[in-house]
Amino acid sequence: MAPGLDFSDWGAMETRKGTPVVVKMDNPNYSVVEIEDPDAAFRPVEKSRGKNAKQVTWVLLLKAHRAVGCVAWMATLFWALLGTIKKRLIFRQDVGMASEKLGKGKLLFTVIKAFLVISLTILAFEIIAYFNGWHYFQNPSLHIPRTSDIQGLFHLVYVTWLWFRADYIAPLIQALSKFCVALFLIQSADRMVLCLGCFWIKYKKIKPRIEGNPFKSNDVEGSGYDYPMVLVQIPMCNEREVYEQSISAVCQLDWPKDRLLIQVLDDSDDESIQCLIKTEVATWNQRGINIIYRHRLIRTGYKAGNLKSAMSCEYIQAYEFVAIFDADFQPNPDFLKQTVPHFKDNPELGLVQARWTFVNKDENLLTRLQNINLCFHFEVEQQVNGVFLNFFGFNGTAGVWRIRALEESGGWLERTTVEDMDIAVRAHLNGWKFIFLNDVKVLCEVPESYEAYRKQQHRWHSGPMHLFRLCLPAIITSKIAIWKKANLILLFFLLRKLILPFYSFTLFCIILPLTMFVPEAELPVWVICYVPVFMSFLNILPAPKSFPFIVPYLLFENTMSVTKFNAMVSGLFKLGSSYEWVVTKKAGRSSESDLLAAAERESKTTNQLQIQRGASESELIELNRLKAAPVPVKRVNKIYRKELTLAFLLLTASVRSLLSAQGVHFYFLLFQGVTFLLVGLDLIGEQMS
């Protein structure tokens, strides 16, 4: 039997081993054969280890199944979206129109509608011109016939439009786009510097520290630490869902009872809620907690007026520090022991601010996106400014103030809806320093509905611009250093409160759609795609678990620029809504520790009976009736007209970009338009399954 010949190793680069054998044969096709060892010719041929046809078929079928499943999922999602559009826009089932109370809001809506009508008209005209070949007149190398040579009125109008667009419209859009791109780059550079500062803090492990253990006594006769008198304030207004857990958390603070006073500052106008809060305060008072209930008869000035009224009490003079918690905040028992000692031996320190953490951050897509923004705000903005500048904007809650710093800075003023930022700026102008504690976290809630989030963002962006108008003269005439004045005016107010919503709305919601109809003013791809994605990547770094939401985050931030721009204009020009305060609706989410504490309280029935011994049976029945869970009200979704109009504007521009084969622009406009559509239909805050 002839030996088997294997030619598979002829191209191998390894050094050959074995004895070469020369075989002469009559057939010239086989003249030389190299056998690597004597037994090589007689070894059985190994079966191929590659996949056989059956395995390849199964792999292909599996991939096809996954692809079909993905397509089916996208089709189902698209069909559900169409069904929601039909239900909410056409049949108006369980929907209500978002009110446009002010002329400014109606004016902005009218401007957006005008842009939409113009874009639809131009798109229809562009489609007619495209299919008739008129678009070739854009080529400057071709001869454009004279008017007398052109047959057809529409052809004449199109050529006139090309001329007018190139000579008059394009230069204006180019100038505005260059200005917005410059602002965009400046703001991106600011974000980069903040992120680098955060990396440096992490690398060097820089953070405020308490020297020694102030609560450990080395002196047998001494106490080791003189606990200062601390006042805790809980301002609230109609907070039925969260008042109980907030008061409970504050009353469990680990601090000597004779050195602590808790003020529940209730501005509720609902008598049933007032009764519930009074009863809760009385319950903790009978447990030995030094807590009092205050209700204003004249409810002016919103939260600032409430705090100002509370600080006017005579007994406040005995207290050195004041801690403030909004109604949905639940501090840990050791909160005061982690914050108050920083004031010791630091007479210039006026504020210690703690970080927020959210009990409902995974509730739906809206809460996840808010968590990204707020994590960046606290871990990057607040921490970097606190370490390198000793100044940042007070967050209004979860902070401890030195009462003398409040008094010397003018106290709480009712002139804006951002009383926290107002007092922080005035304290900074008076030379007080701030500390931010990133390791001290206080549980709270973020809004779960777009309506609540929209109103919150309106207040947070109109108030700073209103405050900027009021405090600009004080900043200029203050005695602080020039670089501190520049930081306040250029960075703190203009760049982060005014420029950000302005360029985001103008660049991505107005200029980008217009450039699809005016290609002479086209925006470069790096402005649309690369830089925004990179900046979104930096924003998500403090919340690494949110990386799968980087694209929705980028699109949603551009969508929210409409509300932020609207609010910024109202605050800057002191329009009616600049002093509008709507209490953010809470859901009353409880953390795991809250549930355990509630279970523990339920088990102590004996103590409960002793506390309620003084109440009559009728009073207990009435209290239980008030505490009963309210009947769930069917949610009515809102229809937001500005967002819907911008959605159709962006989708129209995406069709135009498809005609001109602009791939990146098409996808960006399409996805941004769909995001505006989801927000306009109030789908962004739907509960996750």
Side-chain angles (χ1 to χ4, degrees):
M1 180 181 294
L5 304 177
D6 187 3
F7 300 97
S8 61
D9 293 332
W10 278 26
M13 301 300 294
E14 292 88 354
T15 305
R16 302 287 187 178
K17 295 181 181 180
T19 305
V21 178
V22 178
V23 180
K24 293 184 179 180
M25 302 179 66
D26 295 335
N27 189 348
N29 293 330
Y30 303 94
S31 58
V32 178
V33 176
E34 181 177 333
I35 301 176
E36 298 202 0
D37 64 61
D39 298 329
F42 303 98
R43 286 181 182 169
V45 179
E46 287 189 15
K47 293 183 179 180
S48 174
R49 299 195 180 195
K51 295 179 180 178
N52 56 30
K54 189 175 181 179
Q55 291 175 322
V56 171
T57 302
W58 278 108
V59 171
L60 293 177
L61 286 175
L62 181 60
K63 292 183 177 180
H65 175 72
R66 291 177 179 174
V68 171
C70 181
V71 172
W73 176 80
M74 294 181 65
T76 304
L77 188 64
F78 180 70
W79 187 257
L81 178 60
L82 291 180
T84 304
I85 293 174
K86 179 181 178 181
K87 173 183 175 182
R88 297 188 181 177
L89 285 183
I90 300 177
F91 296 109
R92 300 295 177 90
Q93 297 179 5
D94 302 326
V95 299
M97 297 300 296
S99 60
E100 298 288 352
K101 299 179 181 178
L102 303 167
K104 172 192 62 59
K106 294 181 179 179
L107 177 61
L108 181 59
F109 178 56
T110 304
V111 171
I112 296 174
K113 282 197 300 184
F115 274 113
L116 176 60
V117 172
I118 293 172
S119 64
L120 287 173
T121 305
I122 296 175
L123 177 63
F125 201 62
E126 290 276 352
I127 292 175
I128 296 173
Y130 182 84
F131 285 107
N132 285 275
W134 300 344
H135 57 288
Y136 289 112
F137 284 99
Q138 298 177 15
N139 192 337
S141 63
L142 295 179
H143 170 67
I144 299 180
R146 292 174 298 176
T147 305
S148 59
D149 298 334
I150 298 176
Q151 296 179 355
L153 178 62
F154 287 106
H155 204 171
L156 172 62
V157 172
Y158 184 70
V159 174
T160 306
W161 158 247
L162 292 180
W163 165 76
F164 181 77
R165 184 181 74 185
D167 291 349
Y168 293 97
I169 299 180
L172 294 177
I173 297 178
Q174 285 177 337
L176 183 59
S177 63
K178 289 179 180 178
F179 177 67
C180 290
V181 168
L183 296 180
F184 177 43
L185 294 178
I186 293 173
Q187 199 270 338
S188 299
D190 176 60
R191 289 292 176 100
M192 277 290 299
V193 171
L194 288 174
C195 290
L196 291 175
C198 183
F199 292 148
W200 182 257
I201 291 172
K202 296 292 183 183
Y203 176 71
K204 291 292 186 178
K205 298 181 180 180
I206 303 173
K207 65 177 182 179
R209 290 181 172 85
I210 301 173
E211 297 297 334
N213 186 358
F215 304 102
K216 183 178 180 181
S217 176
N218 296 322
D219 186 2
V220 178
E221 298 180 356
S223 61
Y225 181 75
D226 185 15
Y227 287 88
M229 299 288 286
V230 177
L231 174 70
V232 180
Q233 296 177 330
I234 313 175
M236 58 178 64
C237 180
N238 297 325
E239 305 283 4
R240 179 188 291 270
E241 296 81 9
V242 294
Y243 78 92
E244 189 173 4
Q245 61 193 32
S246 176
I247 295 175
S248 173
V250 171
C251 288
Q252 297 179 52
L253 288 172
D254 185 11
W255 202 256
K257 295 181 180 180
D258 59 333
R259 316 292 290 178
L260 181 69
L261 173 64
I262 301 172
Q263 285 182 320
V264 178
L265 311 177
D266 183 25
D267 257 6
S268 304
D269 54 7
D270 188 332
E271 293 185 359
S272 63
I273 299 178
Q274 294 178 27
C275 180
L276 290 172
I277 298 175
K278 286 180 183 178
T279 304
E280 184 70 15
V281 170
T283 299
W284 286 101
N285 197 0
Q286 294 184 35
R287 294 183 183 181
I289 303 299
N290 193 11
I291 182 172
I292 60 175
Y293 174 87
R294 279 182 54 87
H295 179 76
R296 293 191 299 163
L297 298 177
I298 303 176
R299 299 171 57 252
T300 59
Y302 302 118
K303 182 180 176 181
N306 198 359
L307 294 172
K308 181 179 180 180
S309 174
M311 294 299 293
S312 63
C313 299
E314 293 184 0
Y315 56 80
I316 299 297
Q317 299 177 0
Y319 292 85
E320 188 176 356
F321 304 104
V322 55
I324 302 173
F325 299 100
D326 283 350
D328 59 316
F329 279 72
Q330 306 166 49
N332 291 327
D334 60 348
F335 175 84
L336 293 179
K337 288 188 175 181
Q338 289 184 313
T339 54
V340 174
H342 286 278
F343 290 96
K344 187 180 181 182
D345 300 327
N346 195 355
E348 296 182 347
L349 183 61
L351 167 67
V352 174
Q353 173 72 59
R355 179 176 176 171
W356 302 356
T357 185
F358 312 104
V359 69
N360 62 336
K361 63 182 179 181
D362 297 326
E363 186 65 24
N364 55 40
L365 180 60
L366 178 62
T367 59
R368 290 178 182 272
L369 299 179
Q370 292 179 72
N371 181 59
I372 295 173
N373 252 344
L374 291 170
C375 283
F376 180 85
H377 169 69
F378 285 109
E379 188 151 344
V380 179
E381 292 181 340
Q382 298 290 76
Q383 186 172 212
V384 170
N385 289 327
V387 169
F388 294 104
L389 301 178
N390 294 122
F391 167 73
F392 47 82
F394 175 46
N395 293 117
T397 177
V400 182
W401 277 94
R402 190 189 296 271
I403 294 180
R404 186 162 63 89
L406 291 177
E407 294 173 347
E408 292 183 0
S409 302
W412 300 104
L413 298 181
E414 305 172 12
R415 56 182 183 173
T416 69
T417 57
V418 285
E419 75 295 326
D420 46 7
M421 185 180 294
D422 186 5
I423 188 63
V425 171
R426 287 185 282 117
H428 181 58
L429 296 179
N430 279 275
W432 292 98
K433 295 181 179 180
F434 303 164
I435 284 180
F436 176 76
L437 302 179
N438 192 52
D439 296 334
V440 181
K441 300 177 181 180
V442 181
L443 273 178
C444 63
E445 286 187 22
V446 288
E448 296 182 9
S449 68
Y450 179 68
E451 177 72 10
Y453 180 61
R454 186 169 176 258
K455 292 178 179 178
Q456 181 196 69
Q457 291 300 304
H458 186 278
R459 186 176 77 249
W460 285 4
H461 286 81
S462 66
M465 287 297 96
H466 187 195
L467 176 63
F468 179 64
R469 289 171 52 98
L470 296 173
C471 67
L472 181 59
I475 295 175
I476 296 175
T477 57
S478 64
K479 298 180 180 180
I480 61 175
I482 298 295
W483 68 270
K484 291 185 178 180
K485 294 181 181 180
N487 173 67
L488 271 176
I489 297 174
L490 299 179
L491 296 181
F492 186 76
F493 280 111
L494 293 182
L495 184 60
R496 297 166 188 165
K497 303 298 187 297
L498 186 147
I499 289 177
L500 177 59
F502 170 77
Y503 87 75
S504 183
F505 172 74
T506 307
L507 189 62
F508 295 108
C509 300
I510 299 298
I511 293 179
L512 181 58
L514 287 181
T515 57
M516 296 300 100
F517 303 101
V518 187
E520 294 84 355
E522 180 182 357
L523 288 174
V525 176
W526 61 268
V527 174
I528 301 170
C529 181
Y530 301 142
V531 176
V533 169
F534 178 69
M535 298 312 300
S536 299
F537 176 81
L538 292 180
N539 288 356
I540 289 182
L541 281 180
K545 293 183 180 180
S546 301
F547 271 105
F549 301 95
I550 184 171
V551 174
Y553 170 74
L554 171 62
L555 298 174
F556 182 68
E557 280 302 294
N558 291 338
T559 304
M560 281 306 300
S561 64
V562 181
T563 298
K564 296 176 182 179
F565 177 81
N566 200 358
M568 181 268 294
V569 172
S570 69
L572 187 63
F573 295 100
K574 203 176 179 180
L575 301 177
S577 63
S578 62
Y579 199 68
E580 181 184 19
W581 182 296
V582 179
V583 177
T584 304
K585 185 174 179 56
K586 285 90 174 179
R589 304 288 178 186
S590 297
S591 63
E592 184 177 355
S593 59
D594 298 326
L595 297 176
L596 293 175
E600 184 180 355
R601 288 197 302 269
E602 289 294 332
S603 64
K604 297 180 179 179
T605 55
T606 305
N607 293 337
Q608 292 291 336
L609 291 174
Q610 291 177 355
I611 291 172
Q612 296 180 352
R613 184 178 298 170
S616 65
E617 184 177 355
S618 60
E619 290 175 342
L620 292 177
I621 294 174
E622 179 66 16
L623 179 61
N624 291 330
R625 184 187 68 81
L626 292 175
K627 283 190 174 182
V631 179
V633 181
K634 189 176 182 180
R635 178 182 173 183
V636 177
N637 297 88
K638 299 289 185 179
I639 295 296
Y640 300 98
R641 295 181 294 179
K642 288 195 289 290
E643 284 79 359
L644 281 179
T645 310
L646 274 168
F648 294 128
L649 174 62
L650 290 163
L651 292 175
T652 302
S654 69
V655 175
R656 176 60 182 83
S657 66
L658 188 61
L659 292 177
S660 57
Q662 295 173 302
V664 175
H665 298 73
F666 167 72
Y667 286 113
F668 182 87
L669 289 167
L670 177 64
F671 292 145
Q672 187 66 71
V674 171
T675 306
F676 267 106
L677 186 62
L678 294 175
V679 172
L681 293 175
D682 200 8
L683 286 170
I684 196 71
E686 294 286 355
Q687 302 301 309
M688 301 178 66
S689 58

